[in-house]
PDB file of all heavy atoms in Angstrom:
ATOM      1  N   ILE A 123       0.355  -1.480   4.750  1.00 98.00           N
ATOM      2  CA  ILE A 123      -1.004  -1.037   4.854  1.00 98.00           C
ATOM      3  C   ILE A 123      -1.742  -1.503   3.591  1.00 98.00           C
ATOM      4  O   ILE A 123      -1.282  -1.281   2.470  1.00 98.00           O
ATOM      5  CB  ILE A 123      -1.110   0.473   5.121  1.00 98.00           C
ATOM      6  CG1 ILE A 123      -2.610   0.862   5.415  1.00 98.00           C
ATOM      7  CG2 ILE A 123      -0.596   1.295   3.982  1.00 98.00           C
ATOM      8  CD1 ILE A 123      -2.722   2.160   6.155  1.00 98.00           C
ATOM      9  N   SER A 129      -9.662   3.661   0.236  1.00 93.00           N
ATOM     10  CA  SER A 129      -9.833   3.331   1.653  1.00 93.00           C
ATOM     11  C   SER A 129      -9.119   4.319   2.479  1.00 93.00           C
ATOM     12  O   SER A 129      -9.260   4.320   3.726  1.00 93.00           O
ATOM     13  CB  SER A 129      -9.252   1.924   1.917  1.00 93.00           C
ATOM     14  OG  SER A 129      -7.854   1.912   1.655  1.00 93.00           O
ATOM     15  N   GLY A 130      -8.294   5.232   1.893  1.00 93.00           N
ATOM     16  CA  GLY A 130      -7.579   6.185   2.674  1.00 93.00           C
ATOM     17  C   GLY A 130      -6.199   5.662   3.106  1.00 93.00           C
ATOM     18  O   GLY A 130      -5.515   6.253   3.921  1.00 93.00           O
ATOM     19  N   LYS A 131      -5.749   4.572   2.465  1.00 95.00           N
ATOM     20  CA  LYS A 131      -4.498   3.958   2.924  1.00 95.00           C
ATOM     21  C   LYS A 131      -3.309   4.849   2.658  1.00 95.00           C
ATOM     22  O   LYS A 131      -2.369   4.853   3.454  1.00 95.00           O
ATOM     23  CB  LYS A 131      -4.315   2.574   2.317  1.00 95.00           C
ATOM     24  CG  LYS A 131      -3.992   2.525   0.851  1.00 95.00           C
ATOM     25  CD  LYS A 131      -3.904   1.128   0.292  1.00 95.00           C
ATOM     26  CE  LYS A 131      -4.023   1.066  -1.224  1.00 95.00           C
ATOM     27  NZ  LYS A 131      -3.018   1.836  -1.927  1.00 95.00           N
ATOM     28  N   GLY A 132      -3.348   5.647   1.593  1.00 95.00           N
ATOM     29  CA  GLY A 132      -2.218   6.601   1.356  1.00 95.00           C
ATOM     30  C   GLY A 132      -2.043   7.597   2.474  1.00 95.00           C
ATOM     31  O   GLY A 132      -1.003   7.788   3.064  1.00 95.00           O
ATOM     32  N   THR A 133      -3.203   8.268   2.797  1.00 96.00           N
ATOM     33  CA  THR A 133      -3.219   9.294   3.835  1.00 96.00           C
ATOM     34  C   THR A 133      -2.807   8.669   5.220  1.00 96.00           C
ATOM     35  O   THR A 133      -1.973   9.189   5.936  1.00 96.00           O
ATOM     36  CB  THR A 133      -4.647   9.901   3.973  1.00 96.00           C
ATOM     37  OG1 THR A 133      -4.998  10.385   2.669  1.00 96.00           O
ATOM     38  CG2 THR A 133      -4.620  11.021   4.951  1.00 96.00           C
ATOM     39  N   GLN A 134      -3.433   7.505   5.546  1.00 98.00           N
ATOM     40  CA  GLN A 134      -3.145   6.919   6.867  1.00 98.00           C
ATOM     41  C   GLN A 134      -1.715   6.368   6.880  1.00 98.00           C
ATOM     42  O   GLN A 134      -1.075   6.436   7.877  1.00 98.00           O
ATOM     43  CB  GLN A 134      -4.162   5.838   7.126  1.00 98.00           C
ATOM     44  CG  GLN A 134      -5.588   6.274   7.351  1.00 98.00           C
ATOM     45  CD  GLN A 134      -5.717   7.246   8.551  1.00 98.00           C
ATOM     46  OE1 GLN A 134      -4.927   7.239   9.468  1.00 98.00           O
ATOM     47  NE2 GLN A 134      -6.745   8.058   8.503  1.00 98.00           N
ATOM     48  N   GLY A 135      -1.251   5.875   5.708  1.00 98.00           N
ATOM     49  CA  GLY A 135       0.094   5.293   5.640  1.00 98.00           C
ATOM     50  C   GLY A 135       1.135   6.432   6.026  1.00 98.00           C
ATOM     51  O   GLY A 135       2.020   6.127   6.815  1.00 98.00           O
ATOM     52  N   VAL A 136       0.994   7.590   5.470  1.00 98.00           N
ATOM     53  CA  VAL A 136       1.918   8.676   5.761  1.00 98.00           C
ATOM     54  C   VAL A 136       1.907   9.027   7.264  1.00 98.00           C
ATOM     55  O   VAL A 136       2.883   9.179   7.945  1.00 98.00           O
ATOM     56  CB  VAL A 136       1.567   9.921   4.894  1.00 98.00           C
ATOM     57  CG1 VAL A 136       2.330  11.132   5.347  1.00 98.00           C
ATOM     58  CG2 VAL A 136       1.900   9.609   3.417  1.00 98.00           C
ATOM     59  N   ARG A 137       0.657   9.080   7.798  1.00 98.00           N
ATOM     60  CA  ARG A 137       0.501   9.440   9.221  1.00 98.00           C
ATOM     61  C   ARG A 137       1.151   8.410  10.159  1.00 98.00           C
ATOM     62  O   ARG A 137       1.816   8.699  11.115  1.00 98.00           O
ATOM     63  CB  ARG A 137      -0.966   9.550   9.620  1.00 98.00           C
ATOM     64  CG  ARG A 137      -1.645  10.824   9.026  1.00 98.00           C
ATOM     65  CD  ARG A 137      -3.109  10.742   9.294  1.00 98.00           C
ATOM     66  NE  ARG A 137      -3.701  12.103   9.156  1.00 98.00           N
ATOM     67  CZ  ARG A 137      -4.610  12.599  10.005  1.00 98.00           C
ATOM     68  NH1 ARG A 137      -5.066  11.898  11.005  1.00 98.00           N
ATOM     69  NH2 ARG A 137      -5.093  13.821   9.787  1.00 98.00           N
ATOM     70  N   ILE A 138       0.877   7.123   9.845  1.00 98.00           N
ATOM     71  CA  ILE A 138       1.400   6.061  10.704  1.00 98.00           C
ATOM     72  C   ILE A 138       2.889   5.931  10.586  1.00 98.00           C
ATOM     73  O   ILE A 138       3.637   5.722  11.549  1.00 98.00           O
ATOM     74  CB  ILE A 138       0.701   4.681  10.299  1.00 98.00           C
ATOM     75  CG1 ILE A 138      -0.768   4.784  10.584  1.00 98.00           C
ATOM     76  CG2 ILE A 138       1.342   3.503  11.039  1.00 98.00           C
ATOM     77  CD1 ILE A 138      -1.188   5.158  12.014  1.00 98.00           C
ATOM     78  N   ALA A 139       3.426   6.104   9.348  1.00 98.00           N
ATOM     79  CA  ALA A 139       4.868   6.111   9.156  1.00 98.00           C
ATOM     80  C   ALA A 139       5.504   7.196  10.023  1.00 98.00           C
ATOM     81  O   ALA A 139       6.567   6.899  10.679  1.00 98.00           O
ATOM     82  CB  ALA A 139       5.242   6.237   7.656  1.00 98.00           C
ATOM     83  N   GLU A 140       4.935   8.337   9.972  1.00 98.00           N
ATOM     84  CA  GLU A 140       5.473   9.432  10.749  1.00 98.00           C
ATOM     85  C   GLU A 140       5.473   9.104  12.243  1.00 98.00           C
ATOM     86  O   GLU A 140       6.407   9.343  12.979  1.00 98.00           O
ATOM     87  CB  GLU A 140       4.613  10.667  10.508  1.00 98.00           C
ATOM     88  CG  GLU A 140       5.341  12.015  10.445  1.00 98.00           C
ATOM     89  CD  GLU A 140       4.473  13.009   9.801  1.00 98.00           C
ATOM     90  OE1 GLU A 140       3.626  13.607  10.502  1.00 98.00           O
ATOM     91  OE2 GLU A 140       4.578  13.234   8.535  1.00 98.00           O
ATOM     92  N   THR A 141       4.313   8.556  12.709  1.00 98.00           N
ATOM     93  CA  THR A 141       4.187   8.251  14.112  1.00 98.00           C
ATOM     94  C   THR A 141       5.230   7.235  14.598  1.00 98.00           C
ATOM     95  O   THR A 141       5.694   7.320  15.725  1.00 98.00           O
ATOM     96  CB  THR A 141       2.765   7.649  14.381  1.00 98.00           C
ATOM     97  OG1 THR A 141       1.806   8.598  13.896  1.00 98.00           O
ATOM     98  CG2 THR A 141       2.505   7.433  15.882  1.00 98.00           C
ATOM     99  N   ALA A 146       7.374   6.182   4.601  1.00 98.00           N
ATOM    100  CA  ALA A 146       6.220   5.613   3.899  1.00 98.00           C
ATOM    101  C   ALA A 146       6.602   5.475   2.462  1.00 98.00           C
ATOM    102  O   ALA A 146       7.050   6.392   1.817  1.00 98.00           O
ATOM    103  CB  ALA A 146       5.038   6.585   4.033  1.00 98.00           C
ATOM    104  N   LEU A 200       7.075   1.570   6.037  1.00 98.00           N
ATOM    105  CA  LEU A 200       5.640   1.288   5.850  1.00 98.00           C
ATOM    106  C   LEU A 200       5.372   1.207   4.350  1.00 98.00           C
ATOM    107  O   LEU A 200       5.589   2.212   3.669  1.00 98.00           O
ATOM    108  CB  LEU A 200       4.739   2.347   6.496  1.00 98.00           C
ATOM    109  CG  LEU A 200       3.244   2.067   6.289  1.00 98.00           C
ATOM    110  CD1 LEU A 200       2.502   2.478   7.532  1.00 98.00           C
ATOM    111  CD2 LEU A 200       2.683   2.736   5.084  1.00 98.00           C
ATOM    112  N   ASP A 202       2.947   0.961   1.230  1.00 98.00           N
ATOM    113  CA  ASP A 202       1.552   1.285   0.876  1.00 98.00           C
ATOM    114  C   ASP A 202       1.352   0.841  -0.586  1.00 98.00           C
ATOM    115  O   ASP A 202       1.987   1.335  -1.475  1.00 98.00           O
ATOM    116  CB  ASP A 202       1.316   2.775   1.021  1.00 98.00           C
ATOM    117  CG  ASP A 202       0.103   3.297   0.277  1.00 98.00           C
ATOM    118  OD1 ASP A 202      -0.675   2.497  -0.282  1.00 98.00           O
ATOM    119  OD2 ASP A 202       0.009   4.521   0.159  1.00 98.00           O
ATOM    120  N   ILE A 229      -1.574  -3.756   8.316  1.00 98.00           N
ATOM    121  CA  ILE A 229      -2.767  -3.003   8.680  1.00 98.00           C
ATOM    122  C   ILE A 229      -3.789  -3.203   7.545  1.00 98.00           C
ATOM    123  O   ILE A 229      -3.524  -2.853   6.386  1.00 98.00           O
ATOM    124  CB  ILE A 229      -2.456  -1.490   8.782  1.00 98.00           C
ATOM    125  CG1 ILE A 229      -1.302  -1.245   9.826  1.00 98.00           C
ATOM    126  CG2 ILE A 229      -3.668  -0.691   9.088  1.00 98.00           C
ATOM    127  CD1 ILE A 229      -0.552   0.071   9.611  1.00 98.00           C
ATOM    128  N   LEU A 231      -7.226  -1.935   6.158  1.00 97.00           N
ATOM    129  CA  LEU A 231      -8.236  -0.879   6.301  1.00 97.00           C
ATOM    130  C   LEU A 231      -9.520  -1.363   5.630  1.00 97.00           C
ATOM    131  O   LEU A 231      -9.562  -1.550   4.393  1.00 97.00           O
ATOM    132  CB  LEU A 231      -7.747   0.375   5.583  1.00 97.00           C
ATOM    133  CG  LEU A 231      -7.070   1.447   6.381  1.00 97.00           C
ATOM    134  CD1 LEU A 231      -6.953   2.752   5.551  1.00 97.00           C
ATOM    135  CD2 LEU A 231      -7.844   1.776   7.657  1.00 97.00           C
ATOM    136  N   GLY A 288     -12.192   1.392   8.600  1.00 96.00           N
ATOM    137  CA  GLY A 288     -11.719   2.539   7.901  1.00 96.00           C
ATOM    138  C   GLY A 288     -12.767   3.668   7.658  1.00 96.00           C
ATOM    139  O   GLY A 288     -12.575   4.537   6.886  1.00 96.00           O
ATOM    140  N   GLY A 290     -14.810   6.709   9.287  1.00 95.00           N
ATOM    141  CA  GLY A 290     -14.692   7.670  10.406  1.00 95.00           C
ATOM    142  C   GLY A 290     -13.873   8.849  10.001  1.00 95.00           C
ATOM    143  O   GLY A 290     -13.524   8.995   8.832  1.00 95.00           O
ATOM    144  N   SER A 291     -13.541   9.707  10.948  1.00 95.00           N
ATOM    145  CA  SER A 291     -12.718  10.884  10.606  1.00 95.00           C
ATOM    146  C   SER A 291     -11.269  10.424  10.496  1.00 95.00           C
ATOM    147  O   SER A 291     -10.860   9.340  10.988  1.00 95.00           O
ATOM    148  CB  SER A 291     -12.780  11.944  11.735  1.00 95.00           C
ATOM    149  OG  SER A 291     -12.101  11.529  12.863  1.00 95.00           O
ATOM    150  N   LEU A 292     -10.436  11.191   9.794  1.00 96.00           N
ATOM    151  CA  LEU A 292      -9.008  10.840   9.601  1.00 96.00           C
ATOM    152  C   LEU A 292      -8.341  10.572  10.926  1.00 96.00           C
ATOM    153  O   LEU A 292      -7.628   9.615  11.119  1.00 96.00           O
ATOM    154  CB  LEU A 292      -8.279  11.983   8.920  1.00 96.00           C
ATOM    155  CG  LEU A 292      -8.478  12.114   7.391  1.00 96.00           C
ATOM    156  CD1 LEU A 292      -7.627  13.265   6.858  1.00 96.00           C
ATOM    157  CD2 LEU A 292      -8.198  10.824   6.670  1.00 96.00           C
ATOM    158  N   ASP A 293      -8.635  11.474  11.962  1.00 98.00           N
ATOM    159  CA  ASP A 293      -7.971  11.354  13.234  1.00 98.00           C
ATOM    160  C   ASP A 293      -8.453  10.070  13.924  1.00 98.00           C
ATOM    161  O   ASP A 293      -7.688   9.374  14.601  1.00 98.00           O
ATOM    162  CB  ASP A 293      -8.270  12.578  14.126  1.00 98.00           C
ATOM    163  CG  ASP A 293      -7.465  13.755  13.650  1.00 98.00           C
ATOM    164  OD1 ASP A 293      -6.519  13.589  12.920  1.00 98.00           O
ATOM    165  OD2 ASP A 293      -7.820  14.928  14.116  1.00 98.00           O
ATOM    166  N   GLU A 294      -9.741   9.801  13.884  1.00 98.00           N
ATOM    167  CA  GLU A 294     -10.264   8.614  14.532  1.00 98.00           C
ATOM    168  C   GLU A 294      -9.586   7.337  13.946  1.00 98.00           C
ATOM    169  O   GLU A 294      -9.175   6.449  14.702  1.00 98.00           O
ATOM    170  CB  GLU A 294     -11.788   8.394  14.276  1.00 98.00           C
ATOM    171  CG  GLU A 294     -12.637   9.233  15.218  1.00 98.00           C
ATOM    172  CD  GLU A 294     -14.108   9.316  14.680  1.00 98.00           C
ATOM    173  OE1 GLU A 294     -14.407   8.790  13.606  1.00 98.00           O
ATOM    174  OE2 GLU A 294     -14.884   9.960  15.358  1.00 98.00           O
ATOM    175  N   ILE A 295      -9.455   7.284  12.670  1.00 98.00           N
ATOM    176  CA  ILE A 295      -8.871   6.113  11.999  1.00 98.00           C
ATOM    177  C   ILE A 295      -7.403   5.999  12.400  1.00 98.00           C
ATOM    178  O   ILE A 295      -6.923   4.888  12.734  1.00 98.00           O
ATOM    179  CB  ILE A 295      -9.139   6.161  10.495  1.00 98.00           C
ATOM    180  CG1 ILE A 295     -10.640   6.131  10.223  1.00 98.00           C
ATOM    181  CG2 ILE A 295      -8.472   4.953   9.819  1.00 98.00           C
ATOM    182  CD1 ILE A 295     -11.028   6.549   8.821  1.00 98.00           C
ATOM    183  N   THR A 296      -6.642   7.089  12.381  1.00 98.00           N
ATOM    184  CA  THR A 296      -5.228   7.076  12.760  1.00 98.00           C
ATOM    185  C   THR A 296      -5.145   6.487  14.193  1.00 98.00           C
ATOM    186  O   THR A 296      -4.284   5.647  14.450  1.00 98.00           O
ATOM    187  CB  THR A 296      -4.621   8.458  12.669  1.00 98.00           C
ATOM    188  OG1 THR A 296      -4.853   9.000  11.422  1.00 98.00           O
ATOM    189  CG2 THR A 296      -3.115   8.416  13.007  1.00 98.00           C
ATOM    190  N   GLU A 297      -5.993   6.988  15.055  1.00 98.00           N
ATOM    191  CA  GLU A 297      -5.958   6.576  16.463  1.00 98.00           C
ATOM    192  C   GLU A 297      -6.212   5.044  16.580  1.00 98.00           C
ATOM    193  O   GLU A 297      -5.548   4.362  17.337  1.00 98.00           O
ATOM    194  CB  GLU A 297      -7.067   7.396  17.198  1.00 98.00           C
ATOM    195  CG  GLU A 297      -7.085   7.188  18.716  1.00 98.00           C
ATOM    196  CD  GLU A 297      -5.787   7.532  19.385  1.00 98.00           C
ATOM    197  OE1 GLU A 297      -5.179   8.543  18.959  1.00 98.00           O
ATOM    198  OE2 GLU A 297      -5.433   6.858  20.330  1.00 98.00           O
ATOM    199  N   ARG A 298      -7.146   4.586  15.794  1.00 98.00           N
ATOM    200  CA  ARG A 298      -7.458   3.088  15.832  1.00 98.00           C
ATOM    201  C   ARG A 298      -6.205   2.352  15.384  1.00 98.00           C
ATOM    202  O   ARG A 298      -5.900   1.316  15.992  1.00 98.00           O
ATOM    203  CB  ARG A 298      -8.582   2.773  14.875  1.00 98.00           C
ATOM    204  CG  ARG A 298      -9.953   3.167  15.326  1.00 98.00           C
ATOM    205  CD  ARG A 298     -10.995   2.866  14.261  1.00 98.00           C
ATOM    206  NE  ARG A 298     -12.190   3.723  14.500  1.00 98.00           N
ATOM    207  CZ  ARG A 298     -13.013   4.126  13.558  1.00 98.00           C
ATOM    208  NH1 ARG A 298     -12.804   3.791  12.260  1.00 98.00           N
ATOM    209  NH2 ARG A 298     -14.025   4.872  13.881  1.00 98.00           N
ATOM    210  N   ILE A 299      -5.544   2.788  14.324  1.00 98.00           N
ATOM    211  CA  ILE A 299      -4.341   2.083  13.871  1.00 98.00           C
ATOM    212  C   ILE A 299      -3.263   2.089  14.937  1.00 98.00           C
ATOM    213  O   ILE A 299      -2.655   1.053  15.203  1.00 98.00           O
ATOM    214  CB  ILE A 299      -3.876   2.625  12.521  1.00 98.00           C
ATOM    215  CG1 ILE A 299      -4.962   2.542  11.467  1.00 98.00           C
ATOM    216  CG2 ILE A 299      -2.646   1.880  12.030  1.00 98.00           C
ATOM    217  CD1 ILE A 299      -4.636   3.293  10.166  1.00 98.00           C
ATOM    218  N   VAL A 300      -3.000   3.272  15.455  1.00 98.00           N
ATOM    219  CA  VAL A 300      -1.909   3.411  16.438  1.00 98.00           C
ATOM    220  C   VAL A 300      -2.188   2.510  17.620  1.00 98.00           C
ATOM    221  O   VAL A 300      -1.307   1.805  18.086  1.00 98.00           O
ATOM    222  CB  VAL A 300      -1.715   4.874  16.891  1.00 98.00           C
ATOM    223  CG1 VAL A 300      -0.790   5.003  18.015  1.00 98.00           C
ATOM    224  CG2 VAL A 300      -1.244   5.752  15.679  1.00 98.00           C
TER     225      VAL A 300
END
Side-chain angles (χ1 to χ4, degrees):
I123 189 161
S129 61
K131 71 184 164 59
T133 306
Q134 294 298 336
V136 168
R137 287 173 163 223
I138 296 304
E140 217 163 83
T141 304
L200 180 143
D202 159 13
I229 303 155
L231 265 191
S291 73
L292 284 183
D293 286 345
E294 276 165 2
I295 298 164
T296 305
E297 186 59 36
R298 285 176 202 152
I299 300 172
V300 172

